[in-house]
Amino acid sequence: ATASLGVAAMLYGGWAWWAAEDRRHDTRVLFRQFNHELTRQSGADGDELRLRLTDSRLGLSQNRLVPDHGRLIHLFLIAEEAGTGAPAFAHLHPRDTGNGSFSALLPELPAGRYRVFTELSHAAGMTQTLTNTFVLAAPTSPGGSDPDDAWSDSSPMTNEGVSVGDGLTLRLETADVRAGEPVVLKTRVSWADGSPAPLEPYLRMLGHAAILRDDGVVFAHLHPAGSLSM
């Protein structure tokens, strides 16, 4: 009887240990994109995009959100179809409304289906990019919640590059891109006469590049000075 109780206690202890390790691995080790919801609401101030983080792991101390480039949230909207031009694009910084919820006024964008990439940085140093899709049934009215929000509608592309407004043109000069090999991305921002335009820091960097594979499976947000995790 004593031996049976001892074996039973060992089996129960082993099961409890395994269950605890499984929970720890599931909540603290194994990476899974945070569960979240993305909705749109029209109001007096314009069209509002709302992000709500619904994942219980957000309550863990190591998953507390910390600013990156001075903002808790970096949200990218990229149109899926743009014809022969550059797709409509927006880089937004939703404001914190409490309880894991964030909201941003949408800028002026054309109707269509958009891929959504939301970047988060956590206190433990981990970063992640949430992925989603979003449909605008009609064009949005001019808006924007943060002075550092940036956006562009579909722009025609020429051999000289893409017009980015104010008489400026952005041109991608990278050539000989091959899958599986390192590539140095080079861009040039110039005035109409071809002279180089002086640059000033935007969100603490002189440049930001959003790289998207044509099927939307790969997305990267890069900077000339490097992209380092917190």
Side-chain angles (χ1 to χ4, degrees):
T2 301
S4 297
L5 289 174
V7 171
M10 292 174 61
L11 290 174
Y12 178 79
W15 173 83
W17 169 82
W18 180 264
E21 282 296 300
D22 189 55
R23 285 194 301 271
R24 189 185 74 84
H25 185 78
D26 191 47
T27 58
R28 299 172 182 262
V29 179
L30 181 66
F31 173 76
R32 297 193 320 276
Q33 184 183 105
F34 269 28
N35 298 322
H36 66 287
E37 297 175 350
L38 200 63
T39 58
R40 173 191 174 188
Q41 182 171 334
S42 297
D45 295 329
D47 295 294
E48 187 177 48
L49 186 64
R50 294 185 175 181
L51 168 72
R52 189 164 74 93
L53 302 176
T54 59
D55 204 293
S56 60
R57 291 170 294 169
L58 190 62
L60 299 175
S61 59
Q62 68 266 30
N63 288 334
R64 176 175 55 85
L65 297 183
V66 295
D68 183 31
H69 298 290
R71 299 293 187 276
L72 283 178
I73 300 286
H74 292 267
L75 187 147
F76 297 84
L77 288 164
I78 305 177
E80 288 192 350
E81 296 182 4
T84 59
F89 172 89
H91 176 188
L92 308 179
H93 309 98
R95 65 182 186 276
D96 188 355
T97 57
N99 298 321
S101 297
F102 302 82
S103 66
L105 289 177
L106 288 170
E108 189 172 9
L109 294 171
R113 183 180 178 87
Y114 289 78
R115 299 186 188 275
V116 184
F117 303 91
T118 305
E119 294 187 339
L120 309 176
S121 294
H122 299 280
M126 182 188 76
T127 61
Q128 63 172 306
T129 302
L130 310 181
T131 60
N132 212 319
T133 57
F134 191 72
V135 177
L136 290 178
T140 56
S141 56
S145 304
D146 188 285
D148 286 325
D149 286 353
W151 61 90
S152 173
D153 59 7
S154 298
S155 303
M157 298 177 66
T158 68
N159 292 333
E160 299 302 320
V162 177
S163 172
V164 293
D166 297 328
L168 295 169
T169 299
L170 186 146
R171 181 178 180 182
L172 184 66
E173 297 185 341
T174 297
D176 299 327
V177 177
R178 294 183 178 88
E181 296 183 7
V183 173
V184 176
L185 295 174
K186 294 184 178 181
T187 59
R188 182 182 300 275
V189 182
S190 57
W191 297 108
D193 62 2
S195 59
L199 301 179
E200 296 180 357
Y202 164 63
L203 296 174
R204 306 177 184 178
M205 291 286 184
L206 287 177
H208 300 256
I211 313 298
L212 179 67
R213 204 167 81 176
D214 55 2
D215 60 2
V217 172
V218 177
F219 172 84
H221 175 195
L222 309 176
H223 313 95
S227 301
L228 303 179
S229 169
M230 295 285 291

